[in-house]
């Protein structure tokens, strides 16, 4: 079989470059203390920033949701799959984000990947052959794919380079202009200069699509995310938040002016042509939102901030190169793929599970450990990881 031989050759090449990806199988809930392939581990790699994925109240709400609504939705939202649970969740999300958006409305999606495909392609569909998408260089793959799917002209601007974006906007004659960016860069942990980006979008009559996958629930005093963190409000904002990270369950939503949401219901193919997520998921998310908005959320957010400081202060930084991040994503730049995998394997052998990120997820030559902190880690957990890393560094 020539076709199979070809695939096998390509796989062997990836392996030789330390680029072969492998999955580890977890046997327990998503939590810092976990069991992986039968072995107890202390994990620093999930995006469950508030520790809600295994929260008893969220688990109970999911069970209640299954009892109320059954296992599946049975159809897409526009046929018969749109349940009361989805509708109530969308209303809750819209009122949560209302301080930052004009006439806020929200639309729930099965995944953030689909929400990003939907939002860019739907906005671009408003001006068929005359849309420019301005895409930040370090954007998440789902935004890149959304821009491709839109068939708009895509212009990539360098990371956090507001002046370069302004030149591109200034030179554009497109009827629809869409600037798309991560708020918290998923593999770097730094924040996009959203206030400056929004000012440009207002000046040049462009949409600003903000992907707040790593901000929603964690950033801002009340957990409203990046828009609250920067205190932004504008009719130009189109906000995407995911619900499988800090919210601990699954799915995502787009929140924007009611007219934008109505347009998406008409035009967003990744919304229209897929079965609605199980209503129980939406029902469980109502409890996640209660926790995020309540005292427990505030305590967990404060704990994350303390752990970030503890890690930054504890690591011996003459060899470990912490990247410039103030968020729960604390990457350590290594550079070489094989070396990154070796360090991650050493830590894993000692019982510490951290992410090892290689190209094409990050640019060539910038492979890194991606350490994520969560409100359910203790300061003892972080002290153990820091000590293991400091000893590892001394031994190298
Ligand atoms: C995780 C992530 C997504 C995709 O969200 P899912 O709900 O996991 O599909 C989109 N954008 C960014 C920046 C992400 O980190």
């Amino acid at each position: 079989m020539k076709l199979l031989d070809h695939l096998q050759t390509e796989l062997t090449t990836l392996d030789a470059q330390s680029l072969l990806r492998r999955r580890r199988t977890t046997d327990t809930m998503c939590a810092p203390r976990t069991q992986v392939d039968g072995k107890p581990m202390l994990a620093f790699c999930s995006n469950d920033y508030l520790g809600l994925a295994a929260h008893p109240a969220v688990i109970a709400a999911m069970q209640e949701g299954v009892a109320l609504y059954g296992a599946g939705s049975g159809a897409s939202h526009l046929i018969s799959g749109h349940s009361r649970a989805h509708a109530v969740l969308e209303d809750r999300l819209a009122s949560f984000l209302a301080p930052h958006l004009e006439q806020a409305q929200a639309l729930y999606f099965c995944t953030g990947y689909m929400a990003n495909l939907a939002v860019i392609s739907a906005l671009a569909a408003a001006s068929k052959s005359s849309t420019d998408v301005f895409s930040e260089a370090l954007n998440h793959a789902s935004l890149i794919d959304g821009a491709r799917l839109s068939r708009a002209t895509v212009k990539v601007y360098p990371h956090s380079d507001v002046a370069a974006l302004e030149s591109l906007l200034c030179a554009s004659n497109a009827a629809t202009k869409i600037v798309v960016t991560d708020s918290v860069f998923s593999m770097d942990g730094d924040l996009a200069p959203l206030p400056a980006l929004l000012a440009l979008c207002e000046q040049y009559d462009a949409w600003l699509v903000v992907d707040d996958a790593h901000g929603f629930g964690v950033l801002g005093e009340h957990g409203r995310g990046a828009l609250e963190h920067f205190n932004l409000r504008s009719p130009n904002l189109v906000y995407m938040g995911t619900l499988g990270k800090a919210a601990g369950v699954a799915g995502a939503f787009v929140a924007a002016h009611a007219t934008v949401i109505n347009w998406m219901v008409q035009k967003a193919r990744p919304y229209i042509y897929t079965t609605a997520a199980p209503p129980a998921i939406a029902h469980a998310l109502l409890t996640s939102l209660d926790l995020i908005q309540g005292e427990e959320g505030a305590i967990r957010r404060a704990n994350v901030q303390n752990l970030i400081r503890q890690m930054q202060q504890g690591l011996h930084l003459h060899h470990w190169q912490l990247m410039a991040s103030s968020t729960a994503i604390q990457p350590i730049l290594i550079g070489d793929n094989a070396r990154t995998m070796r360090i991650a394997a050493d830590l894993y052998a000692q019982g510490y599970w951290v992410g090892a990120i290689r190209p094409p997820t990050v640019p060539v030559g910038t492979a890194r450990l991606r350490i994520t902190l969560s409100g359910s880690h203790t300061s003892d957990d972080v002290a153990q990881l820091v000590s293991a890393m400091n000893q590892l560094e001394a031994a190298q």
Side-chain angles (χ1 to χ4, degrees):
M1 262 293 280
K2 265 163 73 183
L3 290 172
L4 282 178
D5 289 347
H6 178 64
L7 287 184
Q8 193 50 57
T9 309
E10 292 294 311
L11 285 167
T12 306
T13 307
L14 284 175
D15 201 13
Q17 296 168 329
S18 295
L19 285 176
L20 203 62
R21 294 159 182 253
R22 292 190 174 84
R23 298 167 298 170
R24 296 197 189 277
T25 306
T26 61
D27 302 307
T28 44
M29 293 188 196
C30 174
R33 308 262 163 201
T34 184
Q35 189 175 308
V36 189
D37 293 320
K39 184 177 162 198
M41 298 293 296
L42 184 53
F44 293 89
C45 40
S46 86
N47 302 308
D48 179 26
Y49 298 119
L50 298 180
L52 299 188
H55 193 290
V58 179
I59 295 169
M62 180 88 97
Q63 287 165 335
E64 184 183 74
V66 172
L68 283 170
Y69 298 101
S73 69
S76 66
H77 284 276
L78 297 188
I79 303 295
S80 64
H82 190 63
S83 85
R84 178 62 53 199
H86 296 121
V88 171
L89 176 64
E90 288 179 345
D91 288 348
R92 273 287 297 276
L93 289 164
S95 40
F96 192 40
L97 269 302
H100 306 288
L101 302 164
E102 310 283 335
Q103 291 190 44
Q105 206 169 308
L107 194 63
Y108 177 76
F109 283 83
C110 297
T111 73
Y113 186 95
M114 291 167 66
N116 279 340
L117 297 189
V119 73
I120 302 174
S121 59
L123 289 174
S127 316
K128 282 194 180 59
S129 56
S130 178
T131 301
D132 281 349
V133 172
F134 304 88
S135 182
E136 142 83 55
L138 294 189
N139 271 347
H140 189 263
S142 57
L143 290 173
I144 297 170
D145 293 354
R148 286 178 182 154
L149 183 67
S150 77
R151 297 196 236 171
T153 306
V154 180
K155 303 186 170 172
V156 177
Y157 64 93
H159 183 50
S160 286
D161 192 337
V162 176
L165 174 61
E166 171 151 34
S167 316
L168 290 172
L169 281 168
C170 191
S172 167
N173 295 317
T176 297
K177 305 181 187 73
I178 310 170
V179 176
V180 295
T181 185
D182 284 20
S183 56
V184 177
F185 290 92
S186 55
M187 299 301 138
D188 297 63
D190 59 333
L191 293 164
L194 290 183
L197 298 181
L198 182 58
L200 280 184
C201 286
E202 289 183 334
Q203 185 185 341
Y204 289 95
D205 207 17
W207 297 110
L208 179 59
V209 175
V210 176
D211 174 343
D212 203 22
H214 301 277
F216 182 75
V218 223
L219 292 182
E221 189 187 341
H222 303 93
R224 291 193 180 96
L227 302 185
E228 183 180 20
H229 176 86
F230 286 114
N231 194 21
L232 301 177
R233 180 182 173 95
S234 169
N236 294 52
L237 279 168
V238 178
Y239 180 84
M240 199 289 291
T242 64
L243 300 167
K245 290 173 179 161
V249 189
F253 66 98
V254 174
H257 191 286
T259 302
V260 175
I261 298 302
N262 189 16
W263 177 254
M264 289 185 67
V265 172
Q266 314 310 314
K267 296 290 179 181
R269 295 162 67 92
Y271 182 76
I272 299 169
Y273 296 105
T274 195
T275 300
I281 290 179
H283 188 75
L285 281 163
L286 296 172
T287 297
S288 293
L289 286 179
D290 288 341
L291 291 164
I292 286 171
Q293 290 180 260
E295 196 184 341
E296 194 163 342
I299 292 169
R300 286 174 184 236
R301 281 190 288 279
N303 188 36
V304 173
Q305 290 308 316
N306 289 335
L307 298 174
I308 294 168
R309 262 193 302 279
Q310 183 189 348
M311 206 186 94
Q312 290 176 336
Q313 288 166 3
L315 276 183
H316 290 170
L317 292 177
H318 15 285
H319 286 207
W320 294 129
Q321 190 184 339
L322 258 181
M323 296 179 67
S325 160
S326 58
T327 67
I329 302 167
Q330 289 289 315
I332 295 176
L333 189 63
I334 307 292
D336 178 66
N337 299 335
R339 181 153 185 262
T340 304
M341 297 312 284
R342 216 162 43 238
I343 295 171
D346 279 353
L347 287 169
Y348 192 82
Q350 296 179 51
Y352 303 99
W353 189 15
V354 305
I357 311 291
R358 293 161 286 171
T361 307
V362 292
V364 171
T366 69
R368 64 200 67 176
L369 303 178
R370 179 178 183 268
I371 296 171
T372 51
L373 299 167
S374 140
S376 54
H377 282 118
T378 64
S379 78
D380 188 51
D381 293 338
V382 172
Q384 283 188 41
L385 175 69
V386 165
S387 156
M389 292 201 59
N390 286 342
Q391 281 170 35
L392 193 66
E393 188 224 29
Q396 288 217 337

